[in-house]
């Protein structure tokens, strides 16, 4: 099938339209290299993902070593300078390539470009990253001399009403930063070294470039987002602080980060009107999965295939968070979760399933390196679109078997809580974007103070001034997904634009909306650059406007 791809143009309906471009010699040679690349690179991709899955599900040192080696092999494949130069020249001179092959060749070229580094530097980055990942995976916070999982500590801090004890739990959630901070700074310096060899000022700038953004374009979106959301956030947080001050019997100005439940204040604590966990307190972990299966069956999207090879429940040694992985771009999509019967985990299961069905929906006739989301923020957007259903009254009644009178009773509170969630997450992403940018601009800066100042600026939190620990380094994304966090927020913007463009269809006929998503969002894969893709799927350029309108 790959040999025929040069003769077809793919359109968003999934139809392959026949065309016969007359290619020059450079295009023919580039086509030959591209066909070879699709076969060879797919095998390396599958090997790396198999090794990562083993590492994430076992936590064993040997598995992490195999994962590092497999990822390094994939990177080294793309570090061949002669091959890169050849592909670059051919790409510039090739004429009459089909739209599919031109885009696939462009993606191949970028993969080579970002790996034009000495093998020893590639290896050093992989090994340093793997070492820190293993720390995060196997670390358990200590409280009163006993070790606890992240889930246990998060549940404990939500249930605790004594401020001093809450502080102790919050500090336990941050303990991993004491082990990881210096190592992350060292890794940042090595990453900067790599970026400079490729002609960039620092690693942040390099990553933004290879994510197909212009730095000023990305910063402008977030500056607008800051302006649009700050007044709404201030108003909401004043109200939230009054509730929490009453709950804990302290003045609002005495509230500290541990009073907000989530250790990073990236999620909203329960409001005085509603704790959404009440809808799941009679459920088991297996029930949460069954609810998701029921919903995706209703949509006509295949979550059950994803579950066959997934790993959904907590155990020692396993990664404590959640993610979705497309093992081979050919149908082996898996989710990793640590499900508990809570509202947050219900949302997370739907979120990761959203990633999964997006991956399953790519047109298999596309080349391997186009069987991928249009952009990392578009798959985040779909995941957030579907994850948000866990907070909707109608969804809770229909799929989680919550009494309709109960959801009607809390409908206004659920809507209010949803807006709180969006505002809080938005301000948290501003922290991550700006802090990570400053981290790579100067890894030797006073990061403890810089983190505190950034948190205070965007989240309006009173940070304990006496803290000298690297609390920022307890966030695993600095290692496992560097310079990535902004894509979560851009995913929220994309999700808001999808909701607006789908309109009443998404509200009243979800299976029909799912068909539209399958055809227009999932199937095209990475065929179109993200700016063009967003306009095609939502009818407008990516911006914070639709998101901000939802908050009003």
């Amino acid at each position: 099938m790959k040999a025929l791809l040069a003769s077809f143009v793919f359109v968003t309906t999934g139809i392959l339209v026949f065309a016969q471009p007359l290619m020059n010699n450079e295009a023919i040679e580039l086509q030959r290299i591209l066909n070879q690349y699709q076969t060879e690179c797919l095998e390396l991709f599958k090997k790396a993902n198999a090794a990562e899955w083993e590492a994430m599900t076992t936590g064993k040192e040997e598995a992490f070593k195999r994962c590092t080696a497999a990822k390094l092999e994939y990177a080294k494949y793309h570090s061949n300078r002669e091959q890169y130069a050849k592909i670059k020249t051919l790409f510039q001179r090739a004429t009459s390539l089909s739209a599919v092959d031109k885009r696939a060749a462009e993606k191949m070229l970028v993969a080579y470009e970002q790996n034009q580094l000495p093998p020893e530097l590639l290896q050093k980055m992989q090994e340093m990253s793997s070492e820190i990942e293993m720390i995060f995976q196997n670390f358990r916070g200590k409280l009163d001399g006993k070790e606890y999982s992240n889930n246990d500590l998060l549940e404990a801090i939500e249930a605790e009403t004594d401020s001093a004890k809450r502080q102790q739990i919050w500090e336990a959630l941050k303990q991993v930063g004491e082990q990881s901070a210096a190592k992350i700074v060292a890794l940042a310096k090595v990453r900067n070294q790599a970026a400079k060899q490729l002609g960039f000022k620092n690693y942040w700038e390099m990553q933004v470039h290879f994510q197909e953004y212009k730095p000023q374009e990305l910063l402008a979106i977030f500056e607008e987002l800051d302006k649009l959301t700050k007044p709404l956030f201030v108003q909401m947080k004043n109200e939230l602080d009054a509730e929490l001050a009453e709950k804990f019997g302290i003045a609002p100005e005495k509230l500290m980060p541990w009073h907000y439940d989530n250790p990073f204040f990236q999620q909203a604590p329960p409001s005085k009107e509603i704790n959404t966990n009440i809808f799941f307190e009679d459920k088991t972990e297996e029930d949460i999965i069954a609810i998701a299966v029921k919903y995706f069956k209703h949509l006509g999207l295949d979550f059950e295939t994803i579950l066959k090879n997934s790993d959904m429940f907590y155990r020692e040694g396993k990664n404590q968070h959640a993610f979705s992985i497309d093992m081979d771009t050919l149908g082996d999509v898996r989710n990793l979760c640590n499900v508990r019967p809570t509202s947050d985990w219900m949302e997370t299961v739907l979120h990761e399933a959203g990633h999964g069905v997006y991956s399953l929906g790519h047109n298999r006739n596309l080349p391997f390196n186009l069987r991928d989301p249009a952009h990392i923020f578009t798959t985040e957007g779909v995941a957030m679109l579907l994850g948000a259903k866990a907070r909707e009254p109608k969804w809770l009644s229909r799929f989680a078997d919550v009494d309709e009178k109960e959801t009607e009773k809390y409908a206004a509170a659920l809507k209010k809580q949803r807006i709180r969630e969006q505002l809080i997450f938005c301000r948290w992403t501003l922290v991550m974007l700006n802090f990570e940018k400053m981290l790579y601009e100067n890894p030797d800066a006073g990061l403890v103070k810089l983190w505190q100042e950034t948190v205070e600026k965007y989240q309006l939190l009173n940070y304990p001034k006496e803290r000298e620990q690297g609390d920022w380094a307890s966030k695993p994304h600095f290692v496992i997904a560097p310079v990535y966090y902004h894509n979560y927020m851009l995913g929220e913007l994309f999700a808001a634009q999808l909701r607006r463009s789908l309109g009443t269809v998404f509200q009243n006929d979800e299976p029909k909306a799912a068909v539209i998503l399958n055809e227009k969002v999932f199937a095209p894969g990475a065929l179109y650059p993200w700016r063009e893709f967003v306009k095609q799927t939502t009818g407008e350029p990516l911006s914070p406007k639709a998101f901000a309108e939802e908050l009003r």
Side-chain angles (χ1 to χ4, degrees):
M1 192 62 172
K2 288 181 175 60
L4 298 177
L5 284 170
S7 299
F8 293 98
V9 175
F10 182 83
V11 294
T12 54
T13 58
I15 299 171
L16 293 170
V17 182
F18 187 78
Q20 279 287 9
L22 296 173
M23 298 188 291
N24 63 2
N25 290 336
E26 287 82 0
I28 293 170
E29 176 61 10
L30 183 59
Q31 176 73 66
R32 184 194 67 77
I33 292 173
L34 185 59
N35 288 344
Q36 181 181 359
Y37 176 83
Q38 298 300 326
T39 302
E40 294 176 348
C41 200
L42 175 57
E43 291 308 308
L44 293 172
F45 176 84
K46 288 159 61 175
K47 183 178 178 181
N49 283 343
E52 181 170 11
W53 183 256
E54 182 190 9
M56 294 299 104
T57 54
T58 68
K60 293 180 179 178
E61 185 175 356
E62 299 80 9
F64 271 90
K65 286 180 179 178
R66 284 191 287 273
C67 182
T68 298
K71 287 182 177 180
L72 185 59
E73 188 178 0
Y74 186 84
K76 284 182 176 179
Y77 176 87
H78 292 94
S79 68
N80 187 313
R81 291 184 179 276
E82 291 181 4
Q83 185 75 337
Y84 169 61
K86 183 177 182 180
I87 292 170
K88 187 174 182 180
T89 299
L90 290 172
F91 185 76
Q92 291 169 343
R93 297 177 180 175
T95 59
S96 300
L97 279 174
S98 71
V100 171
D101 286 329
K102 185 175 181 180
R103 179 64 172 160
E106 181 183 27
K107 297 286 282 186
M108 174 177 66
L109 185 62
V110 170
Y112 272 92
E113 183 185 353
Q114 61 189 355
N115 285 289
Q116 293 304 295
L117 294 165
E120 60 273 14
L121 186 53
L122 288 169
Q123 182 168 350
K124 189 174 183 179
M125 285 194 294
Q126 287 288 355
E127 289 176 349
M128 292 176 75
S129 178
S130 182
E131 179 189 359
I132 307 169
E133 282 186 56
M134 193 160 60
I135 290 172
F136 273 100
Q137 184 149 329
N138 292 301
F139 187 86
R140 300 294 183 271
K142 288 185 179 179
L143 188 63
D144 297 327
K146 186 178 177 182
E147 291 188 348
Y148 293 89
S149 72
N150 262 32
N151 268 339
D152 290 334
L153 291 170
L154 289 171
E155 289 176 8
I157 199 170
E158 183 177 335
E160 184 58 66
T161 56
D162 182 85
S163 292
K165 290 180 180 177
R166 287 180 70 94
Q167 181 178 355
Q168 291 173 355
I169 300 168
W170 181 84
E171 288 173 351
L173 283 159
K174 301 288 187 180
Q175 285 168 0
V176 67
E178 297 172 35
Q179 290 191 22
S180 61
K183 293 181 184 295
I184 295 175
V185 169
L187 176 57
K189 291 178 179 179
V190 174
R191 285 172 171 169
N192 274 349
Q193 181 185 345
K196 287 173 182 175
Q197 288 200 26
L198 294 181
F200 298 94
K201 291 179 182 177
N202 55 57
Y203 186 77
W204 185 89
E205 185 185 88
M206 183 186 82
Q207 286 293 92
V208 166
H209 170 81
F210 286 124
Q211 289 173 20
E212 298 184 323
Y213 300 120
K214 296 174 183 176
Q216 288 309 312
E217 168 191 44
L218 181 65
L219 294 173
I221 289 174
F222 277 86
E223 284 170 9
E224 184 180 6
L225 184 67
D226 183 13
K227 290 177 182 177
L228 289 172
T229 60
K230 187 173 183 179
L232 299 170
F233 179 74
V234 169
Q235 181 180 350
M236 179 279 296
K237 189 169 180 294
N238 285 338
E239 186 179 292
L240 172 62
D241 285 356
E243 291 177 17
L244 293 176
E246 182 181 352
K247 176 181 177 180
F248 295 112
I250 57 177
E253 60 270 17
K254 297 293 184 182
L255 289 169
M256 301 300 287
W258 44 85
H259 289 113
Y260 296 86
D261 287 7
N262 184 276
F264 293 100
F265 191 35
Q266 68 183 70
Q267 294 171 309
S271 70
K272 66 179 181 181
E273 290 96 355
I274 182 68
N275 182 336
T276 52
N277 284 336
I278 64 170
F279 302 124
F280 302 97
E281 60 189 4
D282 63 337
K283 307 287 193 292
T284 65
E285 294 162 354
E286 290 76 14
D287 289 337
I288 299 298
I289 306 299
I291 291 167
V293 168
K294 182 180 178 182
Y295 178 55
F296 279 89
K297 269 189 177 179
H298 164 71
L299 293 178
L301 299 174
D302 189 8
F303 181 43
E304 288 180 284
T305 290
I306 295 168
L307 282 176
K308 288 177 183 177
N309 293 318
S310 292
D311 193 326
M312 303 298 285
F313 305 112
Y314 174 81
R315 67 175 179 280
E316 286 294 323
K318 177 185 167 185
N319 183 291
Q320 297 186 73
H321 302 283
F323 63 83
S324 181
I325 183 170
D326 189 346
M327 301 293 289
D328 59 4
T329 75
L330 295 169
D332 185 0
V333 178
R334 306 178 187 184
N335 286 176
L336 181 145
C337 290
N338 290 274
V339 177
R340 293 282 182 97
T342 66
S343 179
D344 283 348
W345 271 110
M346 183 75 258
E347 182 174 352
T348 299
V349 170
L350 296 176
H351 179 106
E352 299 305 337
H355 283 303
V357 296
Y358 192 154
S359 296
L360 278 184
H362 300 325
N363 188 301
R364 302 279 171 79
N365 292 324
L366 288 169
F368 148 70
N369 66 337
L370 296 187
R371 295 195 295 267
D372 205 30
H375 196 279
I376 43 183
F377 80 74
T378 65
T379 182
E380 292 298 346
V382 169
M384 288 165 171
L385 181 78
L386 297 172
K389 304 301 290 185
R391 316 281 181 168
E392 292 183 7
K394 288 183 180 179
W395 188 91
L396 287 164
S397 296
R398 181 167 184 179
F399 298 102
D401 298 322
V402 180
D403 185 270
E404 193 170 346
K405 291 180 180 178
E406 191 80 355
T407 58
E408 286 177 1
K409 173 184 173 183
Y410 290 113
L414 283 166
K415 184 177 180 180
K416 179 180 176 182
Q417 187 70 355
R418 165 69 178 155
I419 291 173
R420 280 188 175 181
E421 290 278 0
Q422 288 174 293
L423 279 168
I424 287 168
F425 184 71
C426 164
R427 304 304 295 184
W428 161 243
T429 60
L430 284 162
V431 170
M432 285 295 289
L433 169 76
N434 287 283
F435 179 81
E436 197 162 19
K437 180 174 179 288
M438 292 184 286
L439 165 66
Y440 286 105
E441 286 173 343
N442 183 9
D444 290 318
L447 296 176
V448 170
K449 184 180 180 183
L450 193 60
W451 176 256
Q452 294 175 1
E453 290 172 348
T454 309
V455 163
E456 289 171 347
K457 177 179 179 180
Y458 292 107
Q459 295 180 294
L460 307 180
L461 291 177
N462 296 319
Y463 216 90
K465 297 294 187 291
E466 69 279 4
R467 287 283 292 178
E468 296 181 356
Q469 291 84 352
D471 292 339
W472 63 273
S474 58
K475 192 65 178 171
H477 290 74
F478 290 115
V479 182
I480 62 172
V483 194
Y484 184 98
Y485 224 90
H486 51 271
N487 291 296
Y488 292 123
M489 192 63 236
L490 296 180
E492 283 281 16
L493 305 188
F494 181 59
Q497 290 182 204
L498 280 176
R499 277 190 289 269
R500 182 155 72 180
S501 64
L502 289 168
T504 55
V505 175
F506 191 57
Q507 296 170 16
N508 303 325
D509 191 350
E510 286 189 308
K512 183 178 179 180
V515 170
I516 295 171
L517 288 174
N518 229 332
E519 292 181 352
K520 291 190 174 183
V521 179
F522 305 169
L527 181 58
Y528 302 106
W530 70 263
R531 293 169 188 82
E532 180 182 349
F533 178 81
V534 171
K535 285 184 181 179
Q536 285 181 0
T537 52
T538 71
E540 57 186 328
L542 187 69
S543 88
K545 292 183 176 63
F547 175 79
E549 285 174 13
E550 289 185 347
L551 303 178
R552 300 191 186 101

